[in-house]
Amino acid sequence: MLITHDTRCALDTVVDLVNTAPADETAPEGLPDVPALAEFVRNHEVSDVGVVSSADLSAVRAVRARFAAIFAAPDARSAAGLINELVAAASTTPRLTDHDGYDWHVHYYAPGSSVADHLAADCGMALAFFVVAGEEERLRRCEAPDCRRAFVDLSRNRSRRYCDSRTCGNRLHVAAYRARRKEATG
């Protein structure tokens, strides 16, 4: 599957956005306030976004929940329905652009859109490409028992199981090794 630069940026953005949601009621909110949202927008180079407000924060959190549902969708039909609703609500307006030193690419949000609509349109279309390509199973959650972070499996053979092999994957492999050692000596 060919993934263009702008699609990859949108995928990274949607994964990071979904992962700002608290994992449970004791976990901290990843987008606690308007400055955190402004930093998220800046760090992900979300273009054409003006000053963000508390209304934007509420709307982005609502969009985040809808993206999380897409990552949890049991099949392509369910994911497609969720993506269609999300993108339709954002009033997409596809247009070609070549800004900030990037070659021609497509933006899907309407000019002057809110940050929530911008994210819903561009990130929703990036996820739509995966459904169209029959690759929706690449939209995953980490299999570590104490982690449920979202990620997009871009491995060649669709074998990635953890959000980060250096943390979650390595931690589980070490625990399994220690359990085997304990059983062998035991």
Side-chain angles (χ1 to χ4, degrees):
M1 175 176 184
L2 174 67
I3 300 175
T4 61
H5 171 77
D6 54 310
T7 300
R8 180 60 192 259
C9 289
L11 290 172
D12 291 344
T13 300
V14 71
V15 164
D16 289 348
L17 178 62
V18 169
N19 289 334
T20 65
D24 58 39
E25 45 290 329
T26 63
E29 167 62 60
L31 289 175
D33 51 28
V34 174
L37 176 59
E39 183 178 345
F40 181 90
V41 167
R42 189 174 41 260
N43 289 344
H44 289 85
E45 298 178 354
V46 181
S47 58
D48 295 334
V49 173
V51 176
V52 295
S53 67
S54 58
D56 289 317
L57 180 62
S58 296
V60 167
R61 286 179 179 167
V63 165
R64 175 182 69 186
R66 296 178 82 180
F67 279 127
I70 294 166
F71 276 84
D75 55 43
R77 184 164 305 285
S78 301
L82 294 167
I83 292 168
N84 284 340
E85 291 171 10
L86 183 67
V87 171
S91 302
T92 58
T93 306
R95 60 189 170 87
L96 287 168
T97 184
D98 67 339
H99 61 87
D100 297 331
Y102 295 111
D103 228 350
W104 288 105
H105 59 282
V106 180
H107 281 184
Y108 294 95
Y109 60 92
S113 291
S114 69
V115 66
D117 283 349
H118 180 125
L119 293 169
D122 273 355
C123 296
M125 289 305 301
L127 296 178
F129 296 144
F130 276 76
V131 173
V132 168
E135 301 284 352
E136 69 282 344
E137 73 275 359
R138 290 181 181 269
L139 308 177
R140 298 193 175 161
R141 291 290 189 155
C142 184
E143 290 183 18
D146 58 340
C147 180
R148 294 299 296 152
R149 292 178 57 86
F151 68 94
V152 178
D153 179 4
L154 297 177
S155 68
R156 186 174 293 178
N157 62 358
R158 299 178 186 94
S159 62
R160 188 170 160 198
R161 298 174 50 207
Y162 307 109
C163 63
D164 186 350
S165 61
R166 291 182 307 254
T167 54
C168 289
N170 197 30
R171 194 168 22 90
L172 287 175
H173 289 114
V174 168
Y177 170 77
R178 288 181 179 158
R180 286 191 306 273
R181 293 275 312 235
K182 183 177 180 179
E183 189 175 303
T185 61

